[in-house]
Amino acid sequence: MREQQKNREEPVQRFWKILRQEWRVVAVATVLGTLTAGAGTGLMAVSAWLIATAALQPSVAELAVAIVGVRFFGVVRAVLRYLERYISHDAVFRLLGALRVWFYQTLEPLIPGSLPGLERGDLAGRLVADVETLQYFYLRVLFPGLAALLTAAIALAAAAIWGGLGVAVSMLGLFVTAGLLVPYGVWSWSRREGIAWAQTRDYFRTVLADTLEGIGELALADAQPAQLLRLCQAEEEMQQAQRRLRQGTFRGTACSRIALDITVIGLIFFCIPLVRTGDLPGVWLPVTALAVQSLTEILLPLAQSAHYLAQSRLALARLFGIGYAGPEGTVKNCPLTAGVAAVPVINSAGPVLPVIATLRQQESALPALQVINLCFRYRQTGALVLEPVTFSLAAGQRLTIVGPSGAGKSTLAGLLTGLLKPLSGTIYLNGVDMLREEPERLRSQWGVLPQDPYVFDASVEDNIRLARPDADERELRQALTAAGLDDWWQQLPQGLGTRIGQNGLAVSGGERQRLGLARVLLKNAPFLLLDEPAAGLDALTRRLVAENWRQAMEGKTVVTITHRLTDLAATDEVLVLARGRLTGMGQWSCLLRRNDIVGRMWEAQRDAIDSPSEI
């Protein structure tokens, strides 16, 4: 019970811990904000006294002090406001920097498979917009709220001393109405409408990301008008939700203004009899009215503070929701996102589904790669995408994973390389349980070539050095040669310094694939995972670079995913998946005779080669 309570409190504690790093600055900004409000009140009061007294045509000497006071309060108010804004914004930038670092450190181990429920636009929104929203918590909620609280205490004390109980009660009613009741109403409205606005905003960003990234496919399919209509509809829904959200702030500001005006009018009527009886000098009537009116600077922003408080709470819930996401994308133990059920986890030590494959372990040495009862699913209520899989691979061996589309090959690859978190099971690399280690250590052991490697808008050299920035020139050129790019980069206008465009727009698909392979080879990791390494290469190019690949991978443990059964001659082991199940493992020649799935795939590919006109 104590551990559960500790987990629930941890997100909020972490947030306040980040805030406490700048508590001195927060205190200074609060004091400066209060002094600024006091200077504004003094400026209004002295100006009112000066104008009212000057109407009685006294000597200039009687007005000299008031004239100096107006200048003093005017200059001091400007200086204090500048210092308060400078100090508070500097603190906010540092606090947001610390929050961004924490969020990235939380997000990095989860990318990309641990949060399958998040769209790209939604994730980008949390990374950018939600973090940016928290700046308003400091600037529009925390600092104004603390300054208003301190100013209210001083104002009530001054009202009780100067005006007596009646004035103090009027001021208390003003502060309760404009400082508590109205902000609470705005907060309730913003909390309810803010969720709808966040959802429409995330949907708009997702549609926009799809439109920009898929612009080529949309043009080929002549689907731009329909996609643009969808984008416009999403933008209109977002704007409508934003207008509804702003209505609460406008109404709250109007209510605060009405409460302030009613208080000013009430104080005027309260002071008029005192002026008639001579208990209060007549010049103090406008001084009282304008001094109270100057509280506008403190009270009116509180309605907006309540609005930003609700938005900050929502942003915190979304940020900490990612930090407390389970292996299937559900949120656990986060008080800001309460109500989401935890994900039941299968105990790997308990009973599992029957394993079809037989283990082919080396008796003389510990397997370099050993997978035991590995299973996975993306959704809490969904079926298993990968049922318990067990196999092992000796050091230096080559394993090829085959199977029809949707069999679970990419899922297994993501689990092996740490991009996905298994529901149960263990992964041993050289005898070390990698699931008990940091995700970075697991990923550092693998050199991964995805099916469609991403190429950055940078030079050829920068794209390859991404795998190992400290590699020397000789190692860089060896990786390029092994990937079959030696002649290609030498013909570029600026050689290795040639920029190749965003996502490799200036290169072909095969060249992009070989750039990804060169990046993998430069990393020089002990384990390699290659997803369709020959994709985009014609038969002649594939044959020319095949020997270079084998030499560069000599001594490494290699796992390959492929649909081309004609490339299995040089592999040591073949693992067959179908619908998330391991249906066979062994040598290629043996599986070709005994495994039905392999037999059907072989027949289909052989028929396609014999009948090219049907392709």
Side-chain angles (χ1 to χ4, degrees), residues 569-588:
T571 190
D572 298 305
E573 299 279 349
V574 178
L575 187 148
V576 185
L577 289 176
R579 296 182 180 179
R581 295 181 179 182
L582 180 59
T583 64
M585 181 174 177
Q587 295 182 352
W588 162 239

Side-chain angles (χ1 to χ4, degrees), residues 220-558:
L220 293 175
D222 197 20
Q224 304 101 315
Q227 183 68 13
L228 289 177
L229 178 61
R230 181 187 174 200
L231 183 62
C232 292
Q233 291 175 345
E235 183 182 13
E236 179 62 26
E237 293 176 359
M238 180 184 66
Q239 292 177 350
Q240 290 179 359
Q242 188 173 18
R243 284 193 290 267
R244 291 194 302 269
L245 180 62
R246 290 292 183 181
Q247 286 176 1
T249 305
F250 297 152
R251 293 171 183 173
T253 302
C255 291
S256 297
R257 170 64 70 178
I258 292 173
L260 184 62
D261 292 342
I262 291 175
T263 303
V264 172
I265 294 172
L267 288 176
I268 291 176
F269 278 99
F270 176 79
C271 294
I272 287 177
L274 299 178
V275 174
R276 288 178 177 175
T277 59
D279 295 332
L280 182 70
V283 293
W284 286 98
L285 186 61
V287 171
T288 302
L290 291 181
V292 175
Q293 190 71 30
S294 67
L295 294 175
T296 301
E297 185 178 5
I298 288 293
L299 294 177
L300 291 188
L302 293 181
Q304 291 186 350
S305 297
H307 164 76
Y308 286 112
L309 177 61
Q311 295 303 301
S312 299
R313 180 182 180 274
L314 178 61
L316 279 173
R318 288 157 55 85
L319 290 177
F320 288 125
I322 289 181
Y324 278 74
E328 298 179 7
T330 60
V331 177
K332 305 184 295 184
N333 300 330
C334 181
L336 300 173
T337 53
V340 182
V343 180
V345 179
I346 298 176
N347 187 355
S348 60
V352 295
L353 298 178
V355 179
I356 299 176
T358 59
L359 298 179
R360 298 176 54 88
Q361 301 183 0
Q362 299 290 326
E363 297 180 358
S364 59
L366 190 69
L369 171 62
Q370 190 174 19
V371 175
I372 301 176
N373 296 334
L374 202 64
C375 65
F376 179 81
R377 64 182 175 189
Y378 285 100
R379 303 290 181 180
Q380 179 181 358
T381 58
L384 288 175
V385 178
L386 192 70
E387 298 188 4
V389 172
T390 300
F391 66 90
S392 64
L393 194 63
Q397 281 193 324
R398 299 181 181 183
L399 171 70
T400 302
I401 304 175
V402 299
S405 299
K409 301 186 297 296
S410 297
T411 300
L412 179 56
L415 292 170
L416 292 176
T417 55
L419 296 180
L420 298 174
K421 292 183 179 180
L423 190 62
S424 67
T426 54
I427 300 174
Y428 291 95
L429 294 183
N430 294 324
V432 179
D433 186 356
M434 301 306 297
L435 298 184
R436 296 182 181 271
E437 304 290 332
E438 293 295 329
E440 291 82 1
R441 183 179 178 186
L442 175 59
R443 289 199 285 267
S444 67
Q445 299 297 308
W446 287 92
V448 181
L449 174 65
Q451 187 171 357
D452 187 16
Y454 189 86
V455 178
F456 294 88
D457 186 10
S459 66
V460 175
E461 181 176 358
D462 290 339
N463 269 280
I464 299 176
R465 283 191 184 274
L466 182 68
R468 190 155 62 94
D470 60 345
D472 56 32
E473 190 73 19
R474 181 183 59 83
E475 293 173 321
L476 178 67
R477 298 197 176 192
Q478 285 179 349
L480 287 166
T481 302
L485 294 173
D486 200 18
D487 295 336
W488 172 76
W489 73 263
Q490 295 181 14
Q491 297 176 2
L492 295 176
Q494 299 176 358
L496 294 178
T498 305
R499 299 181 67 91
I500 50 182
Q502 184 177 4
N503 199 17
L505 294 178
V507 299
S508 67
E511 291 165 347
R512 183 165 58 244
Q513 190 76 3
R514 282 181 283 171
L515 281 171
L517 180 61
R519 186 186 298 166
V520 171
L521 296 177
L522 183 64
K523 185 177 181 180
N524 197 26
F527 296 88
L528 300 181
L529 191 143
L530 312 177
D531 190 354
E532 297 290 353
L537 301 182
D538 60 88
L540 180 59
T541 303
R542 187 165 57 250
R543 185 179 304 170
L544 291 175
V545 300
E547 185 60 31
N548 292 336
W549 292 1
R550 295 190 187 98
Q551 293 178 2
M553 299 175 188
E554 191 68 31
K556 300 182 182 297
T557 305
V558 183

